Amino acid sequence: MRPPPQAGEVKQVFPSVVVAKQHNAILIHSLDEAAVRAGLSIGLPLANARAICPELTVYDADEVADRKTLEDIADWCDRFTPLVALDPPYGLYLDITGCAHLFGGERALLQIVSGALGRRGFAVSAAIAPTAICARTLTRHASGKIVADGGEAEAVSPLPVSALGADDAITAGLRRAGLKTIGDVASRGHHEITARFGASFTALLQQALGQGDGPISPRKPLPDYIVEKRFPDPVATDTVIALNLSALAHMLVTAMDKQGKGARKLEASFFRTDGAVRTITVEAGRPVTKPEVIDRLFRERLEALSDPLDPGFGFDLIRLSASRTEIVVQQQRDLDANVHDNDELSALIDRIAARIGGKRVVVHLPEDTHIPESAVQAVAAQHHLAAAAQAAWPERIEGEPPLRPLRLFDKPEPIKVPFATVPDGPPHQFTWRRVTHAVVRVEGPERIAMEWWKQNGDGPTRDYFRIEDEAGLRFWIFRDGLYDGEPAEAEDEAVPPRWFVHGLFA
Amino acid sequence: MSTARMSTLATLRGSIERLEQGGAHDLNKVTLGHDAADSVLQGGLALSAVHEVFAEGHQSASATGFIAGLAGRVSPRRPLVWVRQDFSAIESGALSISGLCELGLDPRLLVTVRAPDTDAALRTAADALACDALGAVVLEVWGQARQLDLVASRKLTLAAAAFGVTALLLRMAAEPRPSTAETRWIVRAAHSPPSAPWNAWGAPVFDAQLVRNRHGPVGRWIMEWNCDECLFSEPASHPQPVAATPAHRPHHAAAYAGQRRAS
């Protein structure tokens, strides 16, 4: 903390700039008002700037942090509209179609946004216009302006061409051609401009003039249903938050119920008074249509958060949205308990997944390969429960003992084998985890070649042996590669192949 | 009341008791297939209860096979939830579904939960036990988990009894501690029965020691798992005779002295 200036002392403000390395030179990236007054400008080399103003304070640019700040502001802006798009490095588009009246009209909304961001120490310039590009152009030189439908051309015409935000080369070209304002450019024929500066610039110009509209790309897809609650007094206690969340769940279910929908993915966003936004997502294996279920899923999730929900000075807005919904098929309850059982199981899976994560609750699907470690695919139970119940697994061979181990190591563990009697034969003893096992019975080899026809599928052929040691423990070990080398690489001096334990039999 | 009426009532009471016992017998037990073990367990493994299987670290695969066998006996048609702790997969390999198929279990009924730690695993298992659509829940924990105390075990027992789901605890590299389990087993691998080298060998053979049985004596048997019929059985011929556990003295007398009193 800097001590407050004493009365009578004139506070001296040194100009400060942020510099970044561009084209092998350190250039000014941004600067404050004092620096502008000293005669500096963006793009000036730091050496020149120091010559002009020796008492300069210099900071390094941190583009990652800038980007993060912009995203945080965008998160905060989510409270005004669900459609927020980034315009890096400094801009944000908010599509406020149909939202402005909730905040007392466009003028009031503009004041709320600029005022709130200004209070947090950001320099804001904002404008409202029918097209995104028109609004952006206005923010460069006419902040705070609101343009009604049809007034775009009039509003942007007097502005300089640099406000369009086109490439530097195009802006310089236009200025050299004597076209200083956007109105000058617009007065020329389209084909002339296109021939000289390209079609994309023409499109930009047209959008600025309101003659065409380009879409913005919102950061998040629009949820199917949104309900929210604003609090004049921020709420901070867990009970109140939980109560409000369950009230929102009721509202959401009522809204979805009218169209026969159920939610598969739900998001709760907590907007803190200081601008931080926390979003918590839960998923369900089948469409949820009961507020109690939504309530319970969120309770499980909130309890299990590794960094708990921090209300700080309180939340002033809680929003619950259903980002993925499905039509609910009403199932008739028959005497067969199967339907009921499946519901129960998927509800259980949802609860566990809400607490420890959807990827940790898995069902298994067979994979058409003979590589042991990829023969089974573990997939999220929430999404694949039905598929797994129908999966066709290879039939086991009657009368055979198990041919695959019951426990399989993700990474085969290397073992020490002193020697094998014959090349390509099984070992007589081996050392695994510092314990030496004498081999009593052997079955093998089962030779498994890698899938050379696939990308990255090449690897040494493995010879697998089922081994029983003197204590009755059964191992599945393999030799990585053949003793005299793969046929293709036989000419290289073959290194002795290594041995691994891949699994354990019961 | 006359003596004749008294004796009639007593006879009736006796027959009702016998009927009730017989009924309960069939409904709440499932036979393992191994005759000696079944008779000691008075008809088989109790359903809706907690059973513990202990094994040393290097015997984990045998214990897994044994518990998979129990799960296969308990719920051949209903979903099975297998809760395991991440560490046990690192230490002794992850449960292989191909291997489970080979044992004759249906992988379509299996839901695996990969819990990050013991607390999460225990909580998930308790949740799963409260879901009556399931047949059995396997909880696989590595090491001497301090969270799995008498209270936790009591909770699991109550949940299992209330919802009719059988809980099977696989405890690897752990020492048995007091618990409310119905039965407790210590499992080791046993040799394959001698056979000609060209004959099939390698069917799972367990040296299963029943060290606690709430309602009967204990024992130790060599069991073979029959993958085709999904049954335990006595191996056809086994070379090493297994000494019967002395009836008057439990195994590991010193280690168990305190525990038998407490449990």
Side-chain angles (χ1 to χ4, degrees), chain A residues 184-411:
Chain A
D184 291 344
V185 183
S187 65
R188 313 298 303 185
H190 273 181
H191 53 278
E192 288 175 40
I193 301 292
T194 312
R196 174 69 181 79
F197 298 106
S200 58
F201 176 71
T202 317
L204 184 74
L205 183 66
Q206 283 185 335
Q207 287 175 22
L209 294 168
Q211 292 161 1
D213 198 1
I216 62 170
S217 39
R219 296 190 311 144
K220 300 169 190 165
L222 193 62
D224 295 352
Y225 297 89
I226 301 180
V227 290
E228 62 188 25
K229 197 159 183 183
R230 280 162 205 279
F231 306 99
D233 273 342
V235 294
T237 51
D238 286 349
T239 20
V240 181
I241 293 168
L243 270 178
N244 280 300
L245 205 55
S246 83
L248 286 173
H250 272 279
M251 282 161 66
L252 186 70
V253 166
T254 318
M256 288 192 302
D257 202 32
K258 280 181 194 149
Q259 290 165 7
K261 295 275 187 79
R264 284 288 305 274
K265 191 172 173 189
L266 292 150
E267 279 182 359
S269 303
F270 300 89
F271 293 75
R272 230 160 68 172
T273 39
D274 62 357
V277 180
R278 181 79 185 267
T279 301
I280 285 160
T281 311
V282 295
E283 283 190 85
R286 42 181 69 202
V288 176
T289 52
K290 292 199 181 88
E292 305 85 57
V293 179
I294 297 180
D295 218 23
R296 179 155 186 194
L297 288 178
F298 273 109
R299 208 164 53 231
E300 298 270 6
R301 188 84 191 85
L302 287 173
E303 271 175 25
L305 286 179
S306 52
D307 50 336
L309 199 62
D310 175 17
F313 295 108
F315 298 115
D316 57 0
L317 169 63
I318 297 179
R319 170 183 292 166
L320 185 64
S321 52
S323 33
R324 201 166 68 237
T325 54
E326 269 178 17
I327 292 175
V328 182
V329 183
Q330 295 292 343
Q331 260 168 337
Q332 185 155 3
R333 293 265 177 272
D334 50 8
L335 294 173
D336 183 13
N338 245 339
V339 178
H340 172 70
D341 276 8
N342 275 340
D343 282 354
E344 292 261 315
L345 184 59
S346 73
L348 171 73
I349 290 170
D350 286 347
R351 282 204 302 277
I352 300 173
R355 198 165 58 237
I356 65 173
K359 284 187 192 139
R360 288 183 171 277
V361 190
V362 293
V363 287
H364 309 274
L365 295 174
E367 191 84 348
D368 189 15
T369 172
H370 51 258
I371 309 289
E373 57 265 36
S374 41
V376 176
Q377 200 191 355
V379 290
Q382 282 185 311
H383 306 297
H384 297 94
L385 191 61
Q390 309 284 326
W393 287 82
E395 289 285 316
R396 61 168 260 105
I397 308 163
E398 290 267 325
E400 281 280 324
L403 299 175
R404 287 286 176 270
L406 187 58
R407 299 196 77 105
L408 197 70
F409 290 103
D410 282 344
K411 254 176 122 175

Side-chain angles (χ1 to χ4, degrees), chain A residues 66-83:
Chain A
D66 284 352
R67 171 92 192 179
K68 171 85 174 51
T69 310
L70 190 66
E71 299 236 343
D72 285 348
I73 298 174
D75 276 345
W76 176 82
C77 286
D78 275 343
R79 66 179 62 209
F80 301 111
T81 163
L83 295 174

